[in-house]
Amino acid sequence: MKHLLKMLDLSKEEIIDILNLADQLKYELKHGIPHPHLRGKTLGMIFQKASTRTRVSFEVGMYQLGGYPLFLSANDLQIGRGEPVQDTARVLSRYIDGIMIRTYDQAEVEALAEHGNIPVINGLTDFSHPCQVLADLMTIREYKNRLDGLKLCYIGDGNNMANSLIVGGLKVGMSVSAACPKGYEPHSTVLDFAKGFECFELTDKPIEAAKDADVVITDVWASMGHESEREKRKIAFNGYQVNDEIMAAAKPDAMVMHCLPAHREEEITTKVFEEHAAEIFDEAENRLHAQKAVMVKLMG
Ligand code: CP
Ligand code: NVA
């Protein structure tokens, strides 16, 4: 594994390896055992979109590994003024040991990886959010002690989270159901991949998708970049809310997860959110541990 660009690139073994290392790093951190695997190394973090969790967890994670994080706002980089990504990749490769990038176009992340010669980590694009899904799988395994054979249900927009959860879930042996309104389905590349799995279901009926689920996951109706469609989307996503009715269809001990930020009373009710806050904030914490594992694998 040279980069982390999207879940489609990872094998089941690579995913499980990352989760095992993440568990170990979490254990070591909780027990005060230092793990400076990246002593003296520098990670450049390019942000074209806002972030709380990704920025802070990568930054703190890098410190805990003995390295240096460098926050690079796209507004201040020449990339924001049109310098080609190919040149940015070649220049940054001369200074730093790895790049994390959050941007719109997946092609930009792939181009950075192709033209530079240092590891590139996707910190979210419109197409995928692999760091989040690794943390999600880690959290599910913590609560359920396994992944194989569990049913993951995603309700909402067929966005970066849906794309990455479907691929990640299927790769580790879970059944995956997704309920998305017509016109808001996951990416065709993801549906092509999922087609090969009998345990995949795409529907526009949330209750049907939630039936006997072990994990119910949702995300905002309007992702970053779609803010102007908020009102239109509120109408399109009416009925695609994780609420008591959905949870009644899922297994009685089903988990609920959300990558955050959450819009209460839109994609999830305050009641369900608060009843499952332990899982949701463990999921947010696990971003730190999962990404540290990714950085050690790629940059160690
Ligand atoms: N879940 C997630 O990626 O959060 P941020 O946008 O705050 O980084
Ligand atoms: N789908 C959301 C996830 C935020 C972490 C977005 O892209 O804005």
Side-chain angles (χ1 to χ4, degrees), residues 49 102 124 129 159-161 219-220 222-224 259-261:
K49 291 176 175 170
R102 165 169 288 197
L124 181 147
H129 198 0
N159 60 13
N160 42 17
M161 280 305 300
D219 186 17
V220 290
S223 285
M224 289 182 275
C259 65
L260 303 175

Side-chain angles (χ1 to χ4, degrees), residues 107-119:
E108 194 179 335
V109 179
E110 308 268 347
L112 260 188
E114 189 188 333
H115 295 282
N117 56 14
I118 52 176

Side-chain angles (χ1 to χ4, degrees), residues 206-213 216 243-252 254:
I207 298 272
E208 195 177 300
K211 193 170 177 320
D212 296 326
V216 177
N243 52 27
D244 282 344
E245 204 188 338
I246 292 289
M247 294 315 295
K251 289 212 179 120

Side-chain angles (χ1 to χ4, degrees), residues 64-253:
Q64 291 174 357
L65 291 168
Y68 308 99
L70 209 59
F71 174 74
L72 303 166
S73 160
N75 294 334
D76 305 326
L77 293 175
Q78 296 286 8
I79 207 172
R81 294 178 59 246
E83 182 170 15
V85 71
Q86 296 90 313
D87 294 355
T88 307
R90 286 186 284 185
V91 170
L92 292 180
S93 296
R94 304 291 179 108
Y95 301 141
I96 61 182
D97 305 288
I99 302 175
M100 186 245 85
I101 177 166
R102 165 169 288 197
T103 188
Y104 294 88
D105 190 356
Q106 177 74 21
E108 194 179 335
V109 179
E110 308 268 347
L112 260 188
E114 189 188 333
H115 295 282
N117 56 14
I118 52 176
V120 174
I121 300 171
N122 179 349
L124 181 147
T125 60
D126 292 347
F127 174 68
S128 65
H129 198 0
C131 293
Q132 181 69 53
V133 168
L134 290 169
D136 290 6
L137 295 175
M138 176 181 178
T139 312
I140 298 168
R141 201 170 71 157
E142 264 177 7
Y143 275 79
K144 300 285 184 194
N145 291 314
R146 67 189 172 111
L147 292 168
D148 228 3
L150 294 178
K151 178 173 174 181
L152 183 160
C153 160
Y154 176 86
I155 295 178
D157 188 18
N159 60 13
N160 42 17
M161 280 305 300
N163 291 335
S164 308
L165 282 166
I166 290 169
V167 175
L170 290 173
K171 285 208 175 195
V172 298
M174 301 175 88
S175 305
V176 178
S177 61
C180 309
K182 293 227 158 59
Y184 295 93
E185 288 91 355
H187 197 279
S188 57
T189 326
V190 168
L191 296 181
D192 281 347
F193 168 82
K195 222 165 42 195
F197 293 80
E198 263 177 38
C199 54
F200 173 69
E201 181 197 4
L202 175 65
T203 168
D204 60 0
K205 298 182 182 61
I207 298 272
E208 195 177 300
K211 193 170 177 320
D212 296 326
D214 296 283
V215 192
V216 177
I217 308 184
T218 187
D219 186 17
V220 290
W221 291 340
S223 285
M224 289 182 275
H226 289 121
E227 288 83 357
S228 64
E229 297 176 15
R230 260 196 100 173
E231 292 311 312
K232 178 180 128 191
R233 283 171 174 259
K234 271 189 193 165
I235 298 166
F237 286 89
N238 185 20
Y240 289 79
Q241 181 189 61
V242 175
N243 52 27
D244 282 344
E245 204 188 338
I246 292 289
M247 294 315 295
K251 289 212 179 120
D253 63 348

